[in-house]
Amino acid sequence: MDYRRETKKYWEHHAGLFDGREQLNATETVKRVLHKILPNLLQLSEEKIAASYPDLTSGVAGYLKNSDRQELEKFNQACKAVKNLLIKEKNTILDVITEKWGIPWIDENRDAELTQFHPRLLNSGWLIEDLDIPDDQRNSYRSLIEKTITQYYPDKNPADWYVLAAGDGDSMSEWLQGIKLKEYRDYIPSQLSVSLESFQKFLEVKKRMGPSTHNALSRALLDFSNQLVPYLTEQRYAGRLIYAGDDDVLAYSNLWEWDKWLWDIRQCFRGSEDPQGEFDTGDDYWTAKAMLSQQVTTRPLFTMGRNATISFGIIIAHHSVPLAIALENLWEAEKKAKEHEYHHSCRCQDKKACFNKKDAVEVRVLYGNGNILKSTAKFDVFHQWQKLITDKELDNAIFEQAASLWNQHPAPSLEAILPWTKAFCDRRDQFQGDKTAKTQFQANLADFLRGLVLTTKEKDLDNEIQNWLKLAAFIKRNRRIMNYEL
């Protein structure tokens, strides 16, 4: 008897956990069976445990959150068609049809139309794994499922991409040691005015890391990880917070919201203005307005302050890319973001003193064919890039054209960027008859290019400009599911 073959059949057909082809180590094997063990250990139902695990197709939540009823109806129609196909061909109804998404915005939503089907039904590969189908029949079943899905999503499937994010506060050891602290004058109310000479001298002294300051720093990190990050990830946006501890963040996002979520996280970490206006900001605090009293504590929330920075790695992966590869790239992207540095255009002799490290983001797009698009920039430049893609009327082609033109004829200097953008926009058909849109886009493009030129090493500059423009084209193209952008 071939015991290996019998073991494979047992795990594949009886346990329903492995397909026999995967080469999992001990840790990965434990993770695969964890949801079967935890209910007994924690005295929780499998349904509640499953809700903690977002499926790689759950990014569809971002698509539905930013769409209208027409999009939701089409999603439900597509899922229902696949469900009926499975009943007809296999005479079976999968548990996946009604299981939790692992996305709080969906699972806690009272709209029955939103929770009717699971997005796994839009992925033929995952469905084949869920079905007990012999190997020789898998291709025919996959073809039938894909044909059904294509009837509703002929061009792009909203379940095609998943997004992961990992962030870490910069130079936290220096904060804990008090190295990052400023003079006392930066920590007293601006209204306080004392003319005593001794007091003025005291204000020039660098603040010490005493017990009260250490407590405030700890409070800021707790408020960030326990209050602000969970709310922004799972309430404001349709994501899932996997881990948040002190200055570390690991989250599951989606193709439609990842950039807004990322900027909001950075803003709250350093106490800057809330882009959505749900929090009052000032004096490095975030205070929730009355409308959020049920979701966030109403006391002023501590932040790390305007001098703090955080760096992130973002992965946008095709559904065919294994999670292990996506995670490997995620850690590398976060590391590269922290290593990102440039030298000011000043004339100082001590170049080391002027190097600006960290405070950056690296975005990687992992395509199904193995190609990777890498884009790295400082957060302020990332925000300028964000402004480029906000106009929903703009087509992805304009960014592809800009990347191509820069590759052939890059602006030779910083001063040449403005005329370069003017010449580019003047020759675009997209702006015919819309002078306002052209002027706005040209200004945003010029700001972005200037920012990237000033904060990128010369040897990397042309490649980074082209990659960020290609990323913009990718985002615009793949957010359009039904011939218009959400």
Side-chain angles (χ1 to χ4, degrees):
M1 177 184 289
D2 188 339
Y3 290 101
R4 288 178 300 177
R5 181 173 297 176
E6 292 300 315
T7 301
K8 173 185 173 181
K9 286 183 178 179
Y10 173 80
W11 285 114
E12 182 177 356
H13 298 298
H14 295 281
L17 295 169
F18 307 96
D19 64 9
R21 295 189 298 272
E22 298 168 301
Q23 298 181 12
L24 305 181
N25 61 29
T27 302
E28 291 166 333
T29 302
V30 170
K31 288 180 180 178
R32 183 64 62 85
V33 301
L34 202 57
H35 67 287
K36 297 289 185 182
I37 302 170
L38 287 178
N40 292 328
L41 293 177
L42 303 179
Q43 300 299 308
L44 293 173
S45 66
E46 272 200 45
E47 180 179 322
K48 288 187 176 180
I49 293 294
S52 301
Y53 290 82
D55 190 284
L56 293 185
T57 62
S58 294
V60 174
Y63 163 65
L64 296 178
K65 189 174 188 294
N66 291 274
S67 64
D68 54 23
R69 286 317 269 196
Q70 182 184 0
E71 299 274 354
L72 176 58
E73 289 171 7
K74 182 168 282 293
F75 168 75
N76 284 334
Q77 289 169 4
C79 291
K80 185 176 181 179
V82 174
K83 170 189 170 183
N84 291 338
L85 173 70
L86 296 176
I87 294 174
K88 176 183 176 183
E89 297 292 334
K90 194 63 181 171
N91 194 29
T92 184
I93 299 179
L94 293 172
D95 292 338
V96 71
I97 291 174
T98 55
E99 72 181 26
K100 297 290 186 179
W101 289 40
I103 303 295
W105 185 83
I106 291 285
D107 294 338
E108 298 169 9
N109 202 302
R110 296 182 180 180
D111 187 346
E113 292 295 313
L114 272 173
T115 57
Q116 192 173 353
F117 296 103
H118 194 283
R120 200 178 178 95
L121 288 165
L122 297 185
N123 188 299
S124 61
W126 286 111
L127 283 179
I128 293 298
E129 296 297 332
D130 290 333
L131 294 167
D132 186 14
I133 299 176
D135 290 345
D136 59 342
Q137 297 180 26
R138 289 192 167 203
N139 286 339
S140 60
Y141 269 93
R142 182 178 286 107
S143 178
L144 281 172
I145 294 171
E146 288 180 352
K147 185 178 180 181
T148 302
I149 295 172
T150 303
Q151 292 176 7
Y152 296 88
Y153 297 109
D155 186 18
K156 288 178 287 292
N157 186 329
D160 277 348
W161 301 89
Y162 63 94
V163 180
L164 301 172
D168 180 42
D170 297 327
S171 306
M172 294 309 298
S173 62
E174 294 183 12
W175 281 101
L176 290 169
Q177 296 171 40
I179 297 174
K180 290 282 188 178
L181 296 179
K182 303 292 184 180
E183 290 74 26
Y184 276 103
R185 68 169 60 256
D186 290 335
Y187 299 94
I188 66 169
S190 56
Q191 299 88 348
L192 182 62
S193 178
V194 180
S195 58
L196 289 175
E197 183 179 351
S198 58
F199 185 73
Q200 294 301 320
K201 289 181 178 180
F202 167 75
L203 294 181
E204 299 299 327
V205 176
K206 185 175 181 180
K207 184 173 173 62
R208 296 174 178 85
M209 176 55 80
S212 61
T213 305
H214 191 279
N215 182 62
L217 188 146
S218 298
R219 182 77 262 170
L221 294 176
L222 280 172
D223 284 348
F224 174 70
S225 59
N226 291 355
Q227 295 282 338
L228 294 171
V229 176
Y231 171 73
L232 295 176
T233 306
E234 300 182 347
Q235 303 297 323
R236 179 178 288 185
Y237 299 107
R240 178 75 190 197
L241 183 59
I242 300 171
Y243 172 79
D246 293 336
D247 60 314
D248 294 320
V249 178
L250 179 62
Y252 179 95
S253 187
N254 60 76
L255 187 64
W256 290 266
E257 297 179 324
W258 69 269
D259 57 311
K260 301 183 189 72
W261 170 84
L262 178 60
W263 182 250
D264 291 3
I265 291 291
R266 193 256 190 173
Q267 292 293 89
C268 79
F269 183 74
R270 61 205 311 264
S272 298
E273 183 180 359
D274 176 19
Q276 302 298 324
E278 293 181 331
F279 291 81
D280 290 323
T281 56
D283 296 325
D284 297 334
Y285 291 97
W286 266 37
T287 306
K289 294 182 179 179
M291 58 186 174
L292 300 182
S293 59
Q294 299 301 314
Q295 294 130 307
V296 184
T297 182
T298 53
R299 68 169 173 80
L301 297 171
F302 285 59
T303 72
M304 286 297 295
R306 66 188 75 100
N307 296 314
T309 62
I310 190 169
S311 295
F312 263 89
I314 301 289
I315 297 300
I316 305 173
H318 190 261
H319 68 82
S320 62
V321 176
L323 182 59
I325 293 177
L327 288 173
E328 182 181 348
N329 275 273
L330 181 64
W331 308 133
E332 290 178 1
E334 183 190 16
K335 180 181 177 182
K336 290 296 183 182
K338 284 192 171 293
E339 293 174 354
H340 186 272
E341 63 182 16
Y342 71 95
H343 183 259
H344 274 309
S345 56
C346 60
R347 302 190 182 190
C348 63
Q349 298 300 315
D350 184 8
K351 290 195 173 183
K352 286 186 178 179
C354 268
F355 264 105
N356 286 261
K357 292 186 177 182
K358 308 177 182 180
D359 189 24
V361 55
E362 175 161 304
V363 183
R364 296 189 180 188
V365 179
L366 309 184
Y367 296 93
N369 61 7
N371 290 338
I372 301 177
L373 177 65
K374 300 178 184 179
S375 310
T376 315
K378 295 299 180 190
F379 255 109
D380 286 336
V381 178
F382 167 77
H383 189 47
Q384 292 167 337
W385 173 85
Q386 250 190 315
K387 294 177 182 178
L388 278 177
I389 63 172
T390 53
D391 187 349
K392 294 182 179 181
E393 299 301 320
L394 278 179
D395 189 69
N396 58 281
I398 194 168
F399 298 102
E400 293 167 347
Q401 293 163 6
S404 178
L405 182 61
W406 189 275
N407 181 45
Q408 298 169 18
H409 306 288
S413 65
L414 185 66
E415 294 74 19
I417 286 178
L418 189 59
W420 188 94
T421 57
K422 185 177 186 306
F424 173 76
C425 293
D426 285 345
R427 291 172 171 80
R428 297 301 85 132
D429 293 336
Q430 293 97 322
F431 297 122
Q432 295 300 322
D434 194 344
K435 186 176 180 180
T436 302
K438 184 178 80 169
T439 302
Q440 186 61 59
F441 179 79
Q442 181 190 331
N444 290 339
L445 181 59
D447 288 343
F448 164 69
L449 292 175
R450 281 198 207 95
L452 209 51
V453 168
L454 290 172
T455 59
T456 306
K457 291 181 178 179
E458 188 174 353
K459 65 182 181 66
D460 301 325
L461 181 59
D462 286 344
N463 191 50
E464 286 293 355
I465 288 176
Q466 292 175 62
N467 284 356
W468 278 105
L469 291 171
K470 289 176 182 177
L471 177 63
F474 168 86
I475 295 297
K476 299 290 285 187
R477 180 169 57 251
N478 286 282
R479 282 179 177 173
R480 291 177 181 267
I481 301 298
M482 293 179 64
N483 298 321
Y484 57 87
E485 186 177 341
L486 299 179

